[in-house]
Amino acid sequence: MEKRIELERRARKANQITELNLDNCRSTSIVGLTDEYTALESLSLINVGLTTLKGFPKLPNLKKLELSDNRISNGLNYLTTSPKLQYLNLSGNKIKDLETLKPLEEFKNLGILDLFNNDATQVENYREKIFKMLPSLRFLDGFDCNDEEAPSDGEDDDDVNGNDSEEDGSGDDDEEDGDSDESDDEDNGDVSLSEVYNDDLEEDNSDWDEGDAVEDDDEDSDIDEADGEANESTAAVNANDKDGEKPEESQARGKKRKHDG
């Protein structure tokens, strides 16, 4: 047990430790646990093999003590040096009668006591007598004086999880709403972008059409000018031809007339 205590301390000072787990460390008595652990609030000694509580230290702030699955049959008076005790688990021990439990009357804040699997639970009207002996007791062996079951840690966790799930659900709805809003914004953004793109495309097309039209007009005008120049050249040639033919023809006719005369 001493080695286990040193291991659990992890180089911390004894008066700084508030929780200590010594389960299954195997010892018939308390060894190595001293009064120095003044800040200790929770101590677990499950399945250690304890046969006596002799030597149990003075722990002024101890609130929770686990002693289940040992071989304790008496000596509960050694626990009275921890007056703030609220939770005590003695299930699976060797307590045979209610007289052995008398020292527990000293604990004015004891609210939870577990004696399951002890011979003392077979005593007639056992529950009624224990609740009468310990007025501060709220739950004995997991049930109150009206046989209502104590809320378990699992149920508490379920309640917490239920609340969290509802909150998470609302959060999911909010996220979904946010996602839908974002998708709407994205859709609106897509439409506006496509419109802008189409407008730009139309402008580009119109610019391209106008440019082509201007180029076509320029080409047509060039062709027309070229045709006009060609026509003018042709006309000039024709005119020259006519002018050239007239003197020759007139000379030929003159020769012919002279010849005829």
Side-chain angles (χ1 to χ4, degrees), residues 27 49 122 160 186 208 227:
S27 179
Q122 303 302 317
V160 172
E186 290 176 358
W208 184 81
D227 291 341

Side-chain angles (χ1 to χ4, degrees), residues 6-25:
E6 288 299 320
L7 181 63
E8 293 293 332
R9 282 180 59 172
R10 300 173 187 173
R12 293 175 294 173
K13 293 181 179 180
N15 60 5
Q16 295 177 334
I17 297 174
T18 59
E19 183 176 353
L20 197 58
N21 188 323
L22 303 175
D23 296 349
N24 306 306
C25 68

Side-chain angles (χ1 to χ4, degrees), residues 7-8 29 40 50 56-58 77 88 92 96 138 151 155 157 161 167 170 184 191 208 225 236:
L7 181 63
E8 293 293 332
S29 61
L40 194 63
L50 295 174
F56 194 87
K58 182 180 180 180
N77 55 295
L88 176 60
K96 296 182 178 181
R138 293 184 294 113
E155 291 177 354
D157 292 340
N161 293 333
E167 292 176 359
S170 62
D184 291 341
V191 172
W208 184 81
E225 289 177 359

Side-chain angles (χ1 to χ4, degrees), residues 80 96 117 139 177 193 203 219 234 251-252 260:
T80 57
K96 296 182 178 181
N117 202 22
F139 297 102
D177 293 340
L193 288 173
E203 290 178 0
E219 291 178 357
T234 304
Q251 291 176 3
D260 290 338

Side-chain angles (χ1 to χ4, degrees), residues 9-244:
R9 282 180 59 172
R10 300 173 187 173
R12 293 175 294 173
K13 293 181 179 180
N15 60 5
Q16 295 177 334
I17 297 174
T18 59
E19 183 176 353
L20 197 58
N21 188 323
L22 303 175
D23 296 349
N24 306 306
C25 68
R26 311 312 298 173
S27 179
T28 57
S29 61
I30 304 294
V31 181
L33 193 62
T34 66
D35 296 347
E36 295 177 316
Y37 292 84
T38 54
L40 194 63
E41 297 182 358
S42 177
L43 174 62
S44 185
L45 291 162
I46 298 173
N47 192 34
V48 172
L50 295 174
T51 58
T52 178
L53 292 174
K54 186 177 181 179
F56 194 87
K58 182 180 180 180
L59 303 174
N61 289 303
L62 188 66
K63 297 178 181 179
K64 182 176 181 178
L65 178 60
E66 290 276 3
L67 291 170
S68 61
D69 299 326
N70 285 287
R71 292 180 289 167
I72 300 168
S73 59
N74 53 41
L76 298 183
N77 55 295
Y78 293 111
L79 300 178
T80 57
T81 54
S82 302
K84 293 184 179 181
L85 197 63
Q86 300 176 4
Y87 174 102
L88 176 60
N89 190 344
L90 288 165
S91 62
N93 278 282
K94 305 295 181 179
I95 300 173
K96 296 182 178 181
D97 53 56
L98 300 186
E99 283 296 318
T100 305
L101 300 172
K102 280 287 186 179
L104 299 182
E105 293 177 341
E106 299 294 326
F107 298 110
K108 304 303 180 183
N109 298 314
L110 186 62
I112 299 174
L113 175 64
D114 197 337
L115 295 169
F116 179 73
N117 202 22
N118 279 277
D119 291 344
T121 61
Q122 303 302 317
V123 174
E124 187 177 359
N125 298 323
Y126 147 77
R127 292 182 59 80
E128 292 179 9
K129 291 178 180 179
I130 294 295
F131 275 113
K132 186 177 180 179
M133 181 191 300
L134 307 172
S136 63
L137 199 64
R138 293 184 294 113
F139 297 102
L140 174 62
D141 302 338
F143 292 86
D144 64 12
C145 60
N146 297 317
D147 290 333
E148 294 289 336
E149 188 173 4
S152 64
D153 293 338
E155 291 177 354
D156 293 340
D157 292 340
D158 291 340
D159 293 338
V160 172
N161 293 333
N163 293 334
D164 291 342
S165 63
E166 290 178 1
E167 292 176 359
D168 292 341
S170 62
D172 292 340
D173 293 338
D174 294 338
E175 290 178 0
E176 289 177 359
D177 293 340
D179 292 340
S180 62
D181 293 339
E182 290 178 0
S183 62
D184 291 341
D185 293 339
E186 290 176 358
D187 292 340
N188 293 334
D190 291 342
V191 172
S192 61
L193 288 173
S194 62
E195 289 178 354
V196 171
Y197 176 76
N198 290 334
D199 291 341
D200 292 339
L201 186 60
E202 290 176 359
E203 290 178 0
D204 292 340
N205 290 335
S206 63
D207 293 339
W208 184 81
D209 292 338
E210 290 176 359
D212 289 345
V214 170
E215 291 179 358
D216 291 341
D217 292 340
D218 292 339
E219 291 178 357
D220 292 341
S221 62
D222 292 339
I223 293 171
D224 292 338
E225 289 177 359
D227 291 341
E229 292 176 356
N231 292 332
E232 289 177 358
S233 299
T234 304
V237 171
N238 293 334
N240 292 331
D241 290 344
K242 284 183 179 182
D243 293 337

